[in-house]
Amino acid sequence: MTKEEHSDAKAPVHRSGFVAVVGRPNVGKSTLMNALVGRPIAIASSRPETTRKAIRGIMTRPEAQVVLVDTPGIHRPRTLLGQRLNDVVEASLSDVDAIAFLLPADQAIGPGDRRILSRLRSDFARKDKDGKWIWRKPLIAIVTKIDQLGKSQLVDKLLEIGVFADFSQIVPVSAMEADNVDEVAQVLIDAMPEGPQLYPDDQLTEERPEDMIAEMVRGAYLEELNDELPHSLAVRVESIEPDPEGGRDTVQIGIYVERDSQKPIVIGRGAEHLVRVKKKLRTAVNRTMGRKVRLDLHVKLARNWQTDPRQLDRLGF
């Protein structure tokens, strides 16, 4: 075998690692992650602060595996829940190989973006002798919602973002329109170190089925009620009860609100909202559980749970 043939016979390089997906609320983090993974993992909504946990989605390709950590939007906390969401972001950033900073094409760079950049610089960058920021880990700008702009507007936006920070790369994308998603995937793969595959080919998330079902229910309510939905809604799978006769298991789900007056909003006239949410989620929940189950939804009161440490603990925050 010649030297050239021996070189060609080497196994291709495999890359693997973790990417923190950061940005202020409602910039498209969950939508992009779902597009990259190929299946809904995180709930996506136009309402701000939709994501409340660091959800890990696993993007597997023949040559790489990238674990995407979809963080709650970094924001100035107004409640204990808000502070805990920011703590989740801190933990998510602690051990990653690259950072994807999402900036929406249709919105101006604002104080929230500058606050995130300042925080990232304090954790992952230093200034050289000329005052230029040097990043210890790749910081990739992903410009979302590009379908909202014309070509010339997009060029101006990309130039603005290039001035905003010393990004390793800037990649435009519209996850909703599946425009340039493959390019984003390749840029993230290229930013990963060489390493083995970390998860089986068919594993798409680290989330427990119970947590995924709870998020599905909350996501369904975000769509069902839209502006009527109390922001203080929390969902928890209370138990999974086997049918003694071998039929469908029952998944008991608690839907928590902070005030009695919010209960009728969530239940709906003649329980219409409960019925529609159950019907909408039937197939997705069965797929998540790997078998047919029955959803049993109950709306419950947890007064001021967003500011009560014990209730936050019980609800999984």
Side-chain angles (χ1 to χ4, degrees), residues 23-30 43-53 70-83 85-86 115 215 218 222 229-233 305-306 317:
R24 54 188 165 85
N26 196 28
V27 296
K29 296 185 296 296
S30 299
I43 61 175
S45 166
S46 60
R47 289 174 64 97
E49 299 174 32
T50 297
T51 300
R52 287 180 175 168
K53 298 183 179 181
D70 176 32
T71 60
I74 298 174
H75 61 289
R76 194 181 300 280
R78 296 185 300 274
T79 63
L80 181 58
L81 171 64
Q83 182 56 56
L85 297 187
N86 277 356
R115 186 163 56 247
E215 284 295 275
R218 198 165 66 88
L222 285 169
L229 181 73
H231 184 66
S232 54
L233 189 79
W305 68 263
Q306 292 189 88
F317 296 104

Side-chain angles (χ1 to χ4, degrees), residues 182-288:
D182 288 342
E183 177 65 20
V184 172
Q186 191 58 55
V187 167
L188 297 180
I189 287 170
D190 291 343
M192 295 296 98
E194 293 185 26
Q197 185 164 319
L198 304 171
Y199 298 89
D201 286 345
D202 59 352
Q203 185 170 345
L204 302 179
T205 182
E206 282 189 343
E207 296 301 289
R208 299 184 310 145
E210 293 91 334
D211 293 333
M212 292 183 68
I213 291 169
E215 284 295 275
M216 286 178 195
V217 172
R218 198 165 66 88
Y221 263 106
L222 285 169
E223 293 184 11
E224 176 73 18
L225 294 182
N226 201 4
D227 291 337
E228 289 183 272
L229 181 73
H231 184 66
S232 54
L233 189 79
V235 181
R236 177 172 176 258
V237 172
E238 313 279 21
S239 65
I240 299 176
E241 301 172 1
D243 186 323
E245 298 181 2
R248 299 186 180 194
D249 296 349
T250 298
V251 181
Q252 297 281 357
I253 298 174
I255 302 170
Y256 292 86
V257 295
E258 288 192 306
R259 298 189 298 276
D260 278 315
S261 60
Q262 295 170 337
K263 280 186 175 182
I265 298 173
V266 175
I267 294 169
R269 182 175 299 175
E272 61 178 337
H273 296 317
L274 292 175
V275 170
R276 279 206 290 263
V277 166
K278 285 198 290 187
K279 184 176 180 180
K280 180 176 182 178
L281 294 179
R282 185 180 299 136
T283 300
V285 171
N286 289 343
R287 186 185 301 123
T288 298

Side-chain angles (χ1 to χ4, degrees), residues 25-253:
N26 196 28
V27 296
K29 296 185 296 296
S30 299
T31 303
L32 178 63
M33 190 176 82
N34 291 341
L36 290 168
V37 172
R39 188 183 130 188
I41 298 298
I43 61 175
S45 166
S46 60
R47 289 174 64 97
E49 299 174 32
T50 297
T51 300
R52 287 180 175 168
K53 298 183 179 181
I55 297 171
R56 292 186 171 187
I58 303 165
M59 180 180 77
T60 302
R61 302 288 189 272
E63 75 283 11
Q65 191 170 70
V66 180
V67 183
L68 303 153
V69 185
D70 176 32
T71 60
I74 298 174
H75 61 289
R76 194 181 300 280
R78 296 185 300 274
T79 63
L80 181 58
L81 171 64
Q83 182 56 56
R84 290 195 178 184
L85 297 187
N86 277 356
D87 291 343
V88 168
V89 177
E90 290 281 4
S92 303
L93 291 173
S94 64
D95 190 25
V96 296
D97 299 289
I99 302 157
F101 188 169
L102 271 61
L103 295 152
D106 63 340
Q107 297 173 35
I109 293 172
D113 301 308
R114 287 188 280 273
R115 186 163 56 247
I116 294 168
L117 179 62
S118 175
R119 185 164 166 181
L120 294 174
R121 280 173 171 167
S122 68
D123 288 343
F124 299 108
R126 61 174 177 80
K127 280 187 175 181
D128 65 11
K129 61 182 181 180
D130 298 320
K132 182 180 179 181
W133 288 101
I134 307 298
W135 292 95
R136 294 193 294 272
K137 296 182 180 181
L139 179 69
I140 300 159
I142 299 180
V143 185
T144 61
K145 308 183 183 184
I146 62 171
D147 53 294
Q148 302 297 312
L149 299 184
K151 286 186 178 180
S152 62
Q153 292 173 306
L154 179 57
V155 169
D156 291 341
K157 173 58 72 172
L158 295 178
L159 290 172
E160 178 190 3
I161 288 171
V163 172
F164 174 56
D166 296 315
F167 290 107
S168 308
Q169 282 187 265
I170 301 175
V171 194
V173 68
S174 171
M176 289 292 290
E177 301 293 330
D179 184 5
N180 222 34
V181 173
D182 288 342
E183 177 65 20
V184 172
Q186 191 58 55
V187 167
L188 297 180
I189 287 170
D190 291 343
M192 295 296 98
E194 293 185 26
Q197 185 164 319
L198 304 171
Y199 298 89
D201 286 345
D202 59 352
Q203 185 170 345
L204 302 179
T205 182
E206 282 189 343
E207 296 301 289
R208 299 184 310 145
E210 293 91 334
D211 293 333
M212 292 183 68
I213 291 169
E215 284 295 275
M216 286 178 195
V217 172
R218 198 165 66 88
Y221 263 106
L222 285 169
E223 293 184 11
E224 176 73 18
L225 294 182
N226 201 4
D227 291 337
E228 289 183 272
L229 181 73
H231 184 66
S232 54
L233 189 79
V235 181
R236 177 172 176 258
V237 172
E238 313 279 21
S239 65
I240 299 176
E241 301 172 1
D243 186 323
E245 298 181 2
R248 299 186 180 194
D249 296 349
T250 298
V251 181
Q252 297 281 357
I253 298 174

